[in-house]
Amino acid sequence: MTPKKTGVAAIACGLALTMCLSMGFASTASAATVTFDKDLQGQTVSGRSFNAYKLATMSQPTADGDVTYTFVDDNVRNAVKTTLTAMGKNVDKTGTDVALSGVIANLTNSEKVKFASKLTDTLKKNTNIHPTTINGNTATLDDYGYYVIEETTTAASVVKAAPFLLQVKDRDVNTTLKSAQPSINKDIVSDGKKDTKYDDTSIGQDVKFELNDMKVPNTYGYDKFTYTINDLMSTGLTFTKAQLDAMTVTIDGKTVDKTNYTVLVNGQDPSTLGTDWSVKGAMFQIKFNDTYFIGTYGDAGADGKLSYTQNPEAGKPIKVNFSATLNEDAKTADPENNTVSLTYTNKPGSTTDSTDHKVYVYTYGIDVNKTFSDKKDLFSQVEFGLTGASGDEIYVTGSNGNYTVVKKGTAGAVSATSGLKLTAQGELKIKGLDAGTYTLTETKCPDGYEPAGGKTQTITITPDYGANGSNGVAGNKVTVAQDTNKDGYVDASVVNKPGIFHLPETGAAGMILLPMIGIGVMAGAAITLRRKAQSDK
């Protein structure tokens, strides 16, 4: 005997897919052709695969709209009952298919989404239940069938659609896939522009980040929705309480009230952090309240679909802006990376993480090799200074030939304008510099020596990020011009040589003539005096 379902129950059950997927119907056919025409997340619908589990056969509606449902067999019937029981529904009085289908029809909108998800898990456990395999975006299914569809696509680039219920009558069906993964992207912002995936900067400087490409999820059919942003920085980036407080979360350009989400930093509530708090390699999470994106239902329209209003509206852009500081742990030429992902509701009762998105921050250095042309070891008597191309002051910490650029005001920081000393081997290394042009000055030189080529020289750091920035985008190690060791340091050399002087000569011929003239004068005077004495006698 075929059980009969009341007209109201039949309509309610018939709305199960419509409420979830905006299903439409087209031309008449002896067997229905189902076409997945688009994906709400904008993904391709070709090359994907699905399993279609037939749950029941539907009779053609009577003039009064009555429909009868017959479940396929006891295996499916029991799977349905098991699923409903797990959802807390009473199936004690479902000895007939009419009663069992009535329980399904009376599920709330969010319960129908959960039912489809949980039912597929139950069906897969029964080896006596065999689905129809769908490869591609079209398939032919039995007309007047009631199905649950599960996506089985294995390609990592495709985000699977959540399981859904589908009623197939004697017409072709076009249906829209509702993939569960929201999207997210991350950019570096510098000088008012987005450098997307990589940038270079000095240690001590703030790096501005923007999380974008997120949209308010479509939560139709859900009563709760998890949406958590996860951001992980490498240890070369410092996150401070001031930067945390300055972080902004906006939807459609409007600031989201902080009561609608919570923030955790390394698992801590920010309210417990002091004003001087900072951490290297922070992991922060922005957790939206699980009902924040849930809307309200209104009356059904002419198509039988319930109206649904979300505020904020589905599809509106979500952005997060914040900054972090490149610190002294930053590696030279190897990027500091900043990774972001989403934890989101994949199907009712479970969540998953999106693919990680990374951006990279690079920094570089200068390696000065000092020598003396006469091979003398006078390195302790030499000092240098380093400034930006326009004389911009640079601050460093360190000593004896090894210095790190830091932010002004950092404990132990001194100006690099002068006073930079060499190692015992005559080397000076300064790390943590942005790409660009610098002026190196020998501010102290040993007595009797002078730097060949003058006291100052210009050093330019020019990174090679690959064709169209491919190395930077991939986060590869980057080399710079005039970097012999390929370690991210521009090599420079300064040679001191003894000074050349023109000393006066005291043994010249002109100097000898003077005493000879004096002797002649004295001899003449003696002769004159002798003649005068003889004449007086």
Side-chain angles (χ1 to χ4, degrees):
M1 175 177 179
T2 302
K4 185 176 181 180
K5 185 180 177 128
T6 64
V8 173
I11 292 173
C13 192
L15 290 176
L17 173 68
T18 306
M19 289 184 289
C20 299
L21 300 169
S22 303
M23 182 182 72
F25 298 94
S27 60
T28 303
S30 57
T33 298
V34 176
T35 301
F36 305 120
D37 59 354
K38 63 179 179 178
D39 185 302
L40 283 181
Q41 293 296 331
Q43 300 182 112
T44 178
V45 294
S46 62
R48 295 167 71 168
S49 59
F50 305 84
N51 279 336
Y53 293 90
K54 187 174 182 180
L55 303 179
T57 298
M58 302 162 50
S59 68
Q60 296 188 36
T62 65
D64 297 330
D66 294 338
V67 177
T68 58
Y69 290 83
T70 303
F71 286 92
V72 172
D73 56 30
D74 283 340
N75 289 310
V76 171
R77 192 175 287 107
N78 290 334
V80 170
K81 289 182 178 180
T82 298
T83 302
L84 291 171
T85 300
M87 293 176 61
K89 302 300 177 181
N90 188 346
V91 295
D92 291 342
K93 298 181 180 180
T94 56
T96 66
D97 285 358
V98 168
L100 186 57
S101 58
V103 176
I104 298 173
N106 289 320
L107 295 175
T108 65
N109 294 313
S110 59
E111 286 175 336
K112 287 168 184 169
V113 176
K114 292 180 181 179
F115 174 70
S117 177
K118 291 180 178 296
L119 180 58
T120 54
D121 291 338
T122 305
L123 293 170
K124 286 187 293 186
K125 294 176 182 178
N126 192 322
T127 58
N128 294 316
I129 300 176
H130 305 289
T132 297
T133 301
I134 302 174
N135 292 312
N137 66 327
T138 61
T140 300
L141 298 178
D142 295 341
D143 55 6
Y144 291 104
Y146 186 55
Y147 293 84
V148 61
I149 311 293
E150 178 193 33
E151 182 165 8
T152 57
T153 305
T154 57
S157 59
V158 174
V159 179
K160 295 180 183 180
F164 55 91
L165 300 170
L166 175 66
Q167 293 200 58
V168 178
K169 298 186 180 179
D170 61 346
R171 305 171 188 174
D172 293 343
V173 177
N174 291 329
T175 186
T176 298
L177 298 174
K178 186 176 180 181
S179 298
Q181 183 186 39
S183 57
I184 190 170
N185 186 41
K186 185 164 194 172
D187 290 327
I188 297 174
V189 182
S190 64
D191 298 327
K193 69 178 187 301
K194 293 180 183 177
D195 290 331
T196 62
K197 299 305 171 190
Y198 69 94
D199 195 14
D200 44 61
T201 192
S202 300
I203 290 176
Q205 296 301 307
D206 291 346
V207 183
K208 296 180 180 179
F209 299 100
E210 180 178 281
L211 310 183
N212 51 45
D213 203 29
M214 296 175 284
K215 293 180 174 59
V216 174
N218 186 332
T219 58
Y220 186 91
Y222 293 90
D223 51 10
K224 291 182 179 180
F225 195 92
T226 297
Y227 196 96
T228 301
I229 300 168
N230 311 294
D231 195 281
L232 176 62
M233 304 178 202
S234 62
T235 55
L237 291 167
T238 297
F239 196 43
T240 67
K241 182 62 162 60
Q243 290 167 335
L244 175 61
D245 292 340
M247 179 190 293
T248 61
V249 180
T250 61
I251 293 180
D252 200 24
K254 303 178 181 64
T255 301
V256 179
D257 191 284
K258 291 184 178 180
T259 59
N260 295 311
Y261 64 89
T262 58
V263 178
L264 293 177
V265 183
N266 293 350
Q268 289 183 274
D269 181 347
S271 64
T272 65
L273 306 176
T275 57
D276 59 348
W277 171 90
S278 67
V279 66
K280 296 178 180 179
M283 167 65 177
F284 74 79
Q285 294 178 300
I286 299 174
K287 295 184 174 184
F288 285 92
N289 299 347
D290 58 13
T291 59
Y292 177 58
F293 294 123
I294 302 300
T296 56
Y297 294 94
D299 297 332
D303 59 357
K305 182 178 179 180
L306 295 176
S307 62
Y308 185 68
T309 303
Q310 277 188 245
N311 185 22
E313 182 181 347
K316 293 298 183 182
I318 304 172
K319 291 185 180 181
V320 178
N321 290 87
F322 66 99
S323 63
T325 305
L326 193 68
N327 64 48
E328 63 277 9
D329 289 343
K331 300 176 290 293
T332 303
D334 281 323
E336 296 303 319
N337 58 68
N338 191 245
T339 306
V340 68
S341 66
L342 283 172
T343 299
Y344 57 92
T345 295
N346 182 35
K347 57 184 182 179
S350 66
T351 60
T352 191
D353 293 327
S354 70
T355 302
D356 288 346
H357 292 265
K358 296 183 179 181
V359 292
Y360 306 97
V361 184
Y362 291 85
T363 193
Y364 304 99
I366 294 174
D367 187 352
V368 181
N369 183 34
K370 176 72 173 180
T371 58
F372 289 87
S373 62
D374 58 1
K375 310 301 183 183
K376 292 294 182 64
D377 181 354
L378 301 173
F379 302 127
S380 62
Q381 300 178 42
V382 176
E383 292 182 1
F384 282 93
L386 186 73
T387 60
S390 302
D392 300 330
E393 200 165 13
I394 297 170
Y395 291 85
V396 296
T397 58
S399 63
N400 300 326
N402 289 285
Y403 296 90
T404 300
V405 176
V406 294
K407 193 172 185 177
K408 182 179 180 181
T410 301
V414 296
S415 173
T417 306
S418 63
L420 303 181
K421 299 181 181 298
L422 304 173
T423 66
Q425 293 74 38
E427 188 178 24
L428 170 63
K429 297 186 77 170
I430 307 168
K431 81 165 189 174
L433 294 167
D434 195 355
T437 302
Y438 297 87
T439 299
L440 180 71
T441 304
E442 187 167 354
T443 57
K444 184 179 179 181
C445 185
D447 292 340
Y449 288 81
E450 59 185 17
K455 290 186 176 181
T456 65
Q457 64 173 286
T458 299
I459 299 175
T460 302
I461 300 176
T462 307
D464 179 9
Y465 288 114
N468 300 316
S470 57
N471 289 332
V473 170
N476 296 329
K477 185 180 180 67
V478 171
T479 59
V480 293
Q482 299 178 330
D483 177 11
T484 305
N485 299 324
K486 306 300 181 184
D487 57 1
Y489 286 83
V490 173
D491 297 317
S493 61
V494 179
V495 180
N496 278 169
K497 63 181 182 178
I500 299 175
F501 304 98
H502 297 282
L503 299 177
E505 298 182 66
T506 60
M511 295 300 291
I512 296 173
L513 181 61
L514 291 176
M516 293 300 293
I517 294 173
I519 293 172
V521 171
M522 292 174 64
I527 293 172
T528 301
L529 289 173
R530 185 178 300 163
R531 288 176 177 174
K532 184 177 180 182
Q534 290 177 347
S535 63
D536 289 340
K537 288 181 180 180

